[in-house]
Amino acid sequence: MESGDEDFAVKYDKDMSSSQEGSNFSGTGVQDDSVIETIAGGTAQIFQQLIRSGNVMFWRPHKPTQDLRRNHFDNTNSEFRYKSPRMSQEGYALTILKNSRKRNKPVLWRYALQKYNEMDVPRQNIHHEGALSACAKLGKYREALEILMHVTKESKMSGDDQMIRSVYVTEGMLYNVIKACVRASRRLEKREDKIRILNYAKSIVLKAERAYGIKIESYVVNPLVARYQRLNCYAETDELLDVLTEKVGDAETLNVNDFGAKDMASYGLIVQEQVANENWAEAITALKNMTDHGIFPKERQINSWNEVATKNLRGFRKDIWTEEF
């Protein structure tokens, strides 16, 4: 073989060997074995290998030719770069109602009150009702009374027509205020403080029809009556129950004249009061009055009456045993 042919053969062998070696590398300079391992590891390792190889180019946006200045934005919040946008009345209403209606979520109830206090737009009835609902669940009677006073004052300034007024006292507001007072009284220790808070709620019930033009329903009065009975304040109990009228129709049919009348819980509280005072004749009379209006006690009420009577009997036996000793 001539020297020229030998040189060509050597060059050919080198080219072939280099091409075979090059076949073991991908276009990014990563060997096939490592590529297979990378694919098994997922796309994140594939991109990491590409970044290490230095063959990946990242896209970057071009800088604008003209700076974006503040006056180029048409926004009602002129300080949108530094402050969050202002919330509207509808936004506050949804936030307050959504959080105040949660069950067993005191943190969200407090957040609803916080949003109510932060409002920088005119408040409407929906905001007041949501805040009072949160106060009732938290037992914040002071805040509830302040909101009720504010609503009362604002409703007097806007006129007497409820169709035109956007803020006026409703029965739901009164119920939440009374509920807040009842719940707050349970957390106090001294009996005098409990009665003092309950008297605030009692004054609201007694003047509701005269001051707000609202005829109080039984579901509003019953929690307050039950709480007074727990404290053995039977004079206040009778005064509150006198606000309610006697039921006209039966228990199953709806009668217009029954608005503001006693219901099953109201009659049950009357019977329980007489049992607690050991006025058995009056208790039987109250029970007969209850059944005459088509309302019959349930097993839960009978058990409650029996428990009250048993407690009185235990106290009576204890007194006799002490005297004999």
Side-chain angles (χ1 to χ4, degrees), residues 287-296:
L287 181 59
K288 186 178 183 301
N289 185 28
M290 178 180 180
T291 56
D292 290 341
H293 288 88
I295 300 176
F296 298 91

Side-chain angles (χ1 to χ4, degrees), residues 2 9 21 30 32 49 64 104 109 121 152 157 171-172 186 191 196 208 214 229 233 235 245 283 296 302 309:
E2 297 181 359
E21 292 176 358
V30 182
D32 292 340
Q49 291 288 348
N104 300 325
W109 302 338
V121 294
T152 304
M157 293 174 60
E171 190 176 13
R186 295 174 182 171
R191 185 174 181 272
R196 176 176 53 84
I214 298 174
Q229 282 191 0
C233 299
T245 60
F296 298 91
I302 297 175

Side-chain angles (χ1 to χ4, degrees), residues 142-160:
R142 291 190 180 90
E143 290 80 354
L145 292 173
E146 289 177 359
I147 294 174
L148 181 62
M149 291 175 58
H150 174 74
V151 174
T152 304
K153 183 178 179 181
E154 192 170 350
S155 62
K156 290 180 179 180
M157 293 174 60
S158 58
D160 297 331

